[in-house]
Amino acid sequence: MQRRREENSSVKFFNKFARGFALLMTLLYVALGLFILLADEQRLNLTIPETVKTILGGILILYGVLRFVRVYQGSKQKKRYED
C-alpha cells in the first residue's frame, strides 16, 4: 500500500511538471512569434522578406495558442476524471 502511494505521488509530480513545461513552451512559441513579427532587421540580424516574417511569426503564435488550448483541455479533462 505504501509503495502505491509513493508511485501515485511521483506520477502526480511528473504530470504537474509536464503541464508546467507545456505551458512554458506555449509562452515561448508566442513570444518568439511576436519577436519575429515586431523586430526590425537590425535586431534579427537576418535579411528576411517582410511576408516571410509575417507568415513565420503568425504560424508560431498560432501554434502556441493551439498548444495552450490542448494543454488546458487536457488538464480540464484530467481534473474531471480525478473527481
Side-chain angles (χ1 to χ4, degrees), residues 25-26 29-30 57-70:
M25 290 306 296
T26 62
Y29 284 124
V30 171
I59 288 173
L60 284 170
I61 292 170
L62 181 65
Y63 183 68
V65 169
L66 289 175
R67 278 187 58 110
F68 175 77
V69 169
R70 289 186 62 194

Side-chain angles (χ1 to χ4, degrees), residues 1-80:
M1 189 73 167
Q2 180 68 19
R3 182 172 172 87
R4 188 172 268 180
R5 283 185 192 156
E6 290 174 4
E7 289 175 0
N8 194 18
S9 65
S10 63
V11 168
K12 284 183 181 180
F13 173 76
F14 178 75
N15 287 339
K16 283 184 179 183
F17 175 77
R19 193 175 318 133
F21 183 75
L23 289 173
L24 176 68
M25 290 306 296
T26 62
L27 289 174
L28 286 176
Y29 284 124
V30 171
L32 183 60
L34 287 173
F35 178 75
I36 289 172
L37 279 176
L38 301 176
D40 54 352
E41 286 186 23
Q42 291 176 347
R43 210 173 255 173
L44 283 178
N45 202 16
L46 295 171
T47 51
I48 300 174
E50 195 65 33
T51 55
V52 174
K53 278 178 47 176
T54 304
I55 291 170
L56 182 60
I59 288 173
L60 284 170
I61 292 170
L62 181 65
Y63 183 68
V65 169
L66 289 175
R67 278 187 58 110
F68 175 77
V69 169
R70 289 186 62 194
V71 170
Y72 179 75
Q73 287 177 343
S75 66
K76 195 172 168 183
Q77 287 177 355
K78 188 146 196 110
K79 284 180 184 178
R80 195 177 321 145

